[in-house]
Amino acid sequence: MGILTIIFFISLPFFFVFIILSVFVIKILSGKSINDPKYAPVKGTIFDQIFYFDYLYDYQTQVAKKLRTYRLLDLGRSELYTTDTRIVEHILKTNFEHYGKVDGDKWRQQRKLASYEFSAKVLRDFSCSVFKRNASKLVTAVSELSMSGQVIEFQDMLMKYTMESIIKVGFGVDLNCMSLSSNEDDEGSSFLKAFDDATQSLYFRYIDPLWKLKRVLNLGSEASLKRNIKVIDNFIYDVLRTKKKQLALNPDLNVKDDILSRFLAEKEKNPETMSDKYLRDIIFSFMIAGKDTTANTLCWFFYMLCKNPLIQEKVAQEVIDCTCSGSGENHANTDDILATITDETLQKMQYLHAALTETLRLYPVTPMNGRCAMEDDILPDGHIIKKGEEINYLAYAMGRMRYIWGEDAEIFRPERWLKNGVFQPESPFKFISFHAGPRICLGKEFAYRQMKIFTVALLHFFRFKLADESKDTIYKVTFTLHMKDCRDGKGEELWNLNIVLVEFHFKSSSFSLISPPMSASNILSLKKHKREHLWEVLPSSCSIPMDFSYSFTFTALVLLLSLISLAFFTAKLKQKQTKNKYHPVAGTIINLLLNFNRLHHYMAYLAAKYRTYRLLSPYRSEIHTSEPANVEYILKTNFDNYGKGEYNHSLLRDFFGEGIFTVDGDKWRQQRKASSYEFSTKVLRDFSSVVFRKNVARLANIVSEAANSNETMDMQDLFMKSTLDSIFKVAFGVELDSMCGSNVEGKEFATAFDNASVLVVYRYVDLFWKIKRYLNIGSEAALKRNIKVVDNFVYKLIHNKIEQLRDSKDDSAVIKKEDILTRYLQVNDTDPKYLRDTIINFTGAGKDTTASTLSWFIYMLCKHPDVQEKVAVEVKEATKSMEVKDVDEFAASLREEALEKMHYLHAAITETIRLYPAVPMDGKICFSDDTLPDGFSVRKDDLIVYQPYAMGRMKFIWGDDAEEFRPERWLDKNGMFRSESPFKFTAFQAGPRVCLGKDFAYRQMKIFSAVLLRCFVFKLSDENREVTYRTMINLHIDGGLHLTMVQKQTNILALHNINKCLQEFDIRRLNLVLLGAGKESVSMDFSNSFTFTALLLLISLISFKFLSAKLRQKQRKIKYHPVAGTFVNQLLNFKRLHHYMTDLAAKYRTYRLLSPFRNEIYTSDPANVEYILKTNFQNYGKGEYNHSLLRDLLGEGIFTVDGDKWRQQRKVSSYEFSTKVLRDFSSVVFRKNVARLANIVSEAANSNETMDMQDLFMKSTLDSIFKVAFGVELDSMCGSNEEGKEFAAAFDDSSALTLYRYVDPFWKIKRYLNIGSEAALKRNIKVVDNFVYKLIHNKIEQLRDSKDNSAVIKKEDILTRFLEVTDTDPKYLRDIILNFIIAGKDTTAASLSWFIYMLCKHPDVQEKVAAEVKEATKSMEVKDVAEFAAGLSEEALGKMHYIHAAITETLRLYPAVPVDAKVCLADDTLPDGFTARKGDMIAYQPYAMGRMRFIWGDNAEEFRPERWLDKNGMFQAENPFKFTAFQAGPRICLGKEFAYRQMKIFSAVLLSCFVFKLSDENRTVTYRTMINLHIEGGLHVRAFHRYQT
């Protein structure tokens, strides 16, 4: 009895909970007409919004995209949500009286009074003066923060200033918000915090069904709300008392500008109605309308300007134009600017008005607003709303509806509001930010006025940039759309609108810090988190961070400014004493620092103002000149007075040592003499030409491969590698082979050399570099590391060369003395340090200069295709070559005589160098006081810089077309090249220091250009991408030069014409509309009679077969699937084959395509798929048809055979795949290879390079499958195995050519004649076979040796286990190997490629995957990739349900095998009732099936991993005959679990470490039609470290 009592009391609370929940459910569901079409559809309950509360408006937007109006069920009633503009107009205007909030009379009385006040001119003028005063204070505050280097918490600042404005306008009180402390004991701070918290708590009531209970019990959010309201009331009532006393003390006070004073005056007339409580409510409503709304909109507005810097510049330009047009000058201080702001001025700012309105469209102040139905009503869409139900219109969601705003609804585009530059308002029921109808916002004009005044003041003086571009800004769910201010436990910001100042204009009496207009991406960027004490320089095109938050740095800056001022005034004093004339001062060295990323633009801008000018520095003046007379004077006339000097020497010495580019005097003369002799020898000239020809041939072959596969490539990177190979061979006799990447040390050297070059040039603008070098921090620490890599490589090279020469003497061998280093060493046993410096200087002169010039040259040809064509024609004429059959042969045949004839090419290269000189500026030190030809003085130790980049753009030198690319300026009337004065065209220096390698450089560039432009046409991969330089010693293209190439076609024979017609569909004359060809005509070439006859015969056969089939149908009354076209349609649509077949599948679930020899049936019906793959499996196999097509490549492997052969291989393979040994071994291999892949990705992320992820996945999965299946380390990822590389390329090509047989009716003829695609297939299969048979032979020998030596060999790989069973036939093993490879390499790699692509297109999914991995592995951050990969346990992988779902969703849309075919072995009837005849091919289509709405619903074409998860977030599999990516039935993929394991391991590691983004969001990504679904042209992405460690 006692036990029963205990059980009763324990169960009693659970019983009451059950009863309460039951009541809740009954209350929610009862009487709601859930399935009644007369009512809006039900989406869920009010509780749904609680689950999505943190991103409520985005949740509402997603629902609204599917349902314009929907219901959520609440206790006792429904709540309607709508984005339908008709309904909005109905409730806000048409039937306004039936929808409200409070008693009508109360609202009308307040509305009338407020309308009168807001229309008063007194209030308008008073508010403008307040807004201007606070805008001035805001500018001052921003300026102070920027000068101290602090990140600006912009939302907090705007909230305080708009609060100050509203308090002043509303109540005549100066709150002084910015001076308030953060201490909550402070009355003002407490009020502000209480006000914000209270509004959020009030808002939470809308989705909290228990709020009334909590209010009664004084619990939770309601207790907090009560406390906050008390603080607010105390503050407001205190304001009321203060204002009453003020008016009582001054009863004659007539100035009642603020609203409260005017209301109090009204209260005297009507004291009963207008009580203190009434006034308190008016004050609170006024504050919530005026504070948060304006501040929030300004926050989102500046956020959008930061995200769209071009729009920021447009707005700023309009502000400057409107505020300065009257006076004609750019005002220096805030008061002057604000004084120009009148209603007329603001009215002119149409673009600003449009940008603010566009912000409000996307980020409305009130994202959701509701009304209550006073009685039953029928909405315009026909749905019923009951009395008491609430209807909410969703302003946030409406701004993102495509049916309202068009396809670009979610894009920030102010231009949508302008017509001929004039603002055009939209319907207020479409743009609902300010309400509409009788309740339209009274303060709309006030809000716009305040926002415009604040914006004008800020953008006139500043440009803004987000402190951390990588973090998304999110909102806080409350009445108004705040930005979320999230902090961690340490008070560190996680989200907020934190902005850094990126430009300021400032004047003082002593000197100017005015900069020309700059874009936000080019200037100073301040770090938000973990700031360092001193500067850091990144060896890429990013901004250079500087932190003023520490006293040491700030003190140093003050000292620096003092030194500059002292230097300036001292110079002024000396000028007065000596009466010398000095060049005008254009700025200081700080201007160079601020403009570092656009340095040469900035200096060209200054050069256009002053031919010669000075920049002040603490230690000397820096004189920059573009005057040819001055250049000639310092480089030639008075050469001995201008040299590198100790200044340049000290900056460059650590890297370039005592080389020819850093020294003067005897050291320079000695090196110059030796170098001049070497460069003048015929041996070196001939040797270098041979090297150049050899390397351009190798480069052309790489370009050819890219052109054939339609890939983009970075030509600058290829030029850098090729010219590095050339300079190393010519100068040092070393085959560096950086082009193929096989020399890892060479690759590291090249990277370190480039980084060191950037860091050395940064010293010129870094005043603290010596301190940083002493402390070994920041940029100097990085420079030291890079120089160490360079030195190690170079000293090793010297040591090897010395040993080689010593050995040759000992062996009496003859060594060719062609390279420069060998010739140096032959003179005497030279000091290795001297040789090291020589090597570095030669490399700097010969690598970057030529490569960067060639890159800019190709870029200019892409921008000027007419010039590209002229160059190609000239090369053709000069070489007298009709066609290029062999690149190596053509390159080798390029003689000096032919190169000499290429005057236009020479002119085009020279014109490129004029605009983009390899060395954009060069500096000399003045050794004694001097006077330049322009009459101005130069003092001892001044740095004088001539500027080839700026000089190439000077109109006074080159004429009005100076900035145009016009090679003709270098040609005389006869088309012969004519040179210009070297002091005008200074790219190769001039005078005694003129470049020794000038002719070598021209020879190399002309050889490279002639070969490449004879064989290819180059185009930019993205015409819209802005191409600019990277600021370093040489003028590199920032981010590389990404191109696509078209190979010029030659030597077209008759048979090749047929093949070309079939493969490429090259068409000229006749348009033939073929059966089922779609909407567009398809043209074909009938110019060749053989082709025409063949095609005519083919059409006759098809017609005959079709009519015969029809006749048999009538005779036998058998029903066949509808005919959708012929195999010719597939041929014509080959490049978009799966799209074409998907279009057909959308019309017919199963259809036929006619062929001369059989019907081809294609199905996407799951019932048919199940029937052929399982139910009647024995009747559908590969058949002789598929076997004959696939046999040449895949032999008698498991994917080509049926019957006993298939069963035998399936049985053996099934056993191997089920063993724990293989599973464990494969997991180890996958982890090892993904760690290697992650390291490669990390290097690309560090250098901000794009990479082809598909190529990397292909190599990595190939390495994995070779190790798992055959125990071989192929190492294709690093490219060190050339045979493996050739095998992989040949295998891919064989796969594509084999699939092409399915649509090529002439393949057997072509195979017999060994022409076209079949000849190519034969060549590729030969490469594949040679590699595989060698692999088998080596494995057999290895096993034989192990038996002889009694050694123990691990039997982990599949091939070893096969060989252990029996001495298997090599041909049998060859077929098994290739079938394993096609199953394990391409499928997994292609799926991973599409997976990363989908994550790039859906960054929210990418973040969810990364979060799941982090949670499953319980890792905070990945410090060691190999360790993290090795620690990925099966248990952790098993927990990753979302990643499993995301991979599966990718496979649904992009299956590895997009179509799979069987042959019907006997007449049959499919489940859909149609007949399949013996010999018919029947193919099911995973690619098309994944897009069928009748299978997957209306969102079939959307990427939605959630479709694979149950309510608990667990992965739930689908019917394998619906999701056919892994086949189904007896032939279901054996490696399915292996594939998932590999993909999950790769994905988990990569997404834990990196964030991936497409390198070009605008590029269309599509597939390459082959057996597996590869991405055409590769997947080019950028990776960013997820953790900066």
Side-chain angles (χ1 to χ4, degrees), residues 1402-1421:
H1402 300 85
D1404 54 328
V1405 176
Q1406 185 170 173
E1407 287 307 308
K1408 285 183 183 178
V1409 169
E1412 184 185 64
V1413 173
K1414 183 177 178 181
E1415 185 177 338
T1417 57
K1418 298 178 181 177
S1419 60
M1420 294 306 294
E1421 64 182 64

Side-chain angles (χ1 to χ4, degrees), residues 340-380:
T340 66
I341 299 176
T342 62
D343 283 342
E344 183 183 356
T345 308
L346 295 177
Q347 192 66 33
K348 291 179 183 177
M349 298 181 188
Q350 300 286 313
Y351 194 80
L352 170 57
H353 196 95
L356 286 167
T357 307
E358 180 72 347
T359 303
L360 283 162
R361 181 182 71 85
L362 289 170
Y363 299 100
V365 174
T366 308
M368 178 177 76
N369 208 340
R371 295 286 178 268
C372 186
M374 305 295 190
E375 57 185 49
D376 291 354
D377 193 13
I378 298 176
L379 300 175

Side-chain angles (χ1 to χ4, degrees), residues 5 44 80 91 119 216 287 380 502 626 646 856 928 1318 1336 1360:
T5 304
L80 275 74
I91 62 175
S119 63
V216 171
M287 284 172 60
V502 296
S626 56
E646 182 54 32
W856 288 110
S928 62
E1318 289 299 309
I1336 294 167
T1360 302

Side-chain angles (χ1 to χ4, degrees), residues 1134-1235:
F1134 186 73
K1135 288 190 176 180
R1136 58 178 299 275
L1137 185 63
H1138 307 305
H1139 281 84
Y1140 170 68
M1141 294 170 77
T1142 301
D1143 293 341
L1144 294 180
K1147 291 182 180 179
Y1148 319 100
R1149 295 191 182 186
T1150 306
Y1151 58 90
R1152 284 186 295 159
L1153 294 179
L1154 300 182
S1155 165
F1157 314 110
R1158 70 184 56 75
N1159 277 328
E1160 293 180 3
I1161 301 170
Y1162 293 84
T1163 187
S1164 56
D1165 189 334
N1168 286 348
V1169 174
E1170 183 172 4
Y1171 185 80
I1172 62 176
L1173 294 185
K1174 180 185 175 186
T1175 311
N1176 201 11
F1177 169 75
Q1178 297 298 333
N1179 194 44
Y1180 297 90
K1182 293 292 179 181
E1184 183 52 32
Y1185 173 63
N1186 286 303
H1187 183 250
S1188 65
L1189 291 166
L1190 302 173
R1191 180 173 51 205
D1192 288 344
L1193 175 61
L1194 299 178
E1196 303 296 317
I1198 195 169
F1199 293 127
T1200 66
V1201 295
D1202 294 309
D1204 292 335
K1205 285 185 178 179
W1206 171 75
R1207 273 186 287 275
Q1208 186 267 336
Q1209 289 189 49
R1210 178 82 179 185
K1211 184 178 178 181
V1212 176
S1213 301
S1214 297
Y1215 171 75
E1216 294 300 336
F1217 273 95
S1218 63
T1219 62
K1220 186 177 184 297
V1221 173
L1222 185 62
R1223 187 166 61 250
D1224 293 344
F1225 175 52
S1226 64
S1227 293
V1228 171
V1229 172
F1230 298 156
R1231 293 183 181 107
K1232 177 184 174 184
N1233 281 331
V1234 75

